[in-house]
Amino acid sequence: MDESWDRRIESFWNEADGRDPDGLIARMTSLVRERPEGDPAALYELASVHDFLGLETQAIPLYQAALDGGLDGERRPQAVIQLASSLRNVGRAAEAVRLLEEFPEDATTGSASQAFLALALFDAGRSREALQVALSALAPTLPLYSRAVAGYAAELKEPGHQVLP
């Protein structure tokens, strides 16, 4: 990857504030045109700016093309999470769940996939599973009560267990 291009992408995101949506898209489009057509990293960045501006419908096919094109490195886990979030935001929560259910934690995004999975499960009407996923992800971060919260999360997985209101 061209380090100069990556530095300019980083600079773009450091300056992005959303006040000039057309200008942001134009600037990113200009950066994308510097890369070969269909470049997965460029598609990911273009998807991200659309997503950033609340244009998830336009971002989704770009994320999918980036992933299908072999997006790798730190951008890949971000693209999966951002695609799932966009799918959820446009009412396609079940697709977001499928995308994230098997997605592992990684060094770049940590437990973020679990947070977005919990949101997608909730939107898909699977509240109990959403709570279980969220508590399971939260438990290891707690200085106190980690074991208790992990135990409660495990109980939510048990069939027939009723969570009291």
Side-chain angles (χ1 to χ4, degrees):
M1 186 62 65
D2 178 359
E3 287 182 35
S4 170
W5 188 80
D6 280 332
R7 278 195 306 275
R8 286 181 287 131
I9 290 292
E10 184 177 342
S11 176
F12 171 92
W13 286 114
N14 287 337
E15 298 167 9
D17 62 14
R19 287 186 277 182
D20 179 14
D22 292 336
L24 282 177
I25 290 174
R27 282 184 55 215
M28 181 57 76
T29 299
S30 177
L31 287 166
V32 165
R33 286 187 179 136
E34 295 178 20
R35 308 294 303 160
E37 187 173 338
D39 178 73
L43 292 170
Y44 163 76
E45 296 296 344
L46 189 57
S48 295
V49 76
H50 282 85
D51 196 358
F52 175 76
L53 294 170
L55 304 171
E56 290 95 345
T57 302
Q58 291 94 324
I60 289 169
L62 294 167
Y63 283 136
Q64 290 172 326
L67 291 166
D68 292 345
L71 184 65
D72 60 5
E74 291 182 357
R75 286 181 172 108
R76 184 169 188 77
Q78 293 174 76
V80 171
I81 290 170
Q82 289 168 213
L83 171 58
S85 177
S86 291
L87 288 167
R88 178 184 148 292
N89 286 339
V90 299
R92 295 165 57 186
E95 291 175 65
V97 168
R98 282 192 298 277
L99 189 61
L100 292 171
E101 278 182 323
E102 302 298 320
F103 191 73
E105 292 184 18
D106 72 276
T108 300
T109 58
S111 297
S113 63
Q114 299 305 291
F116 286 93
L117 175 57
L119 288 166
L121 285 164
F122 182 82
D123 284 359
R126 296 165 58 183
S127 301
R128 179 187 188 92
E129 291 170 81
L131 179 58
Q132 188 276 323
V133 166
L135 290 176
S136 292
L138 176 64
T141 70
L142 301 174
L144 298 173
Y145 311 109
S146 178
R147 189 168 64 179
V149 171
Y152 291 134
E155 285 179 12
L156 290 169
K157 279 186 167 182
E158 295 176 14
H161 178 79
Q162 294 296 319
V163 177
L164 298 175

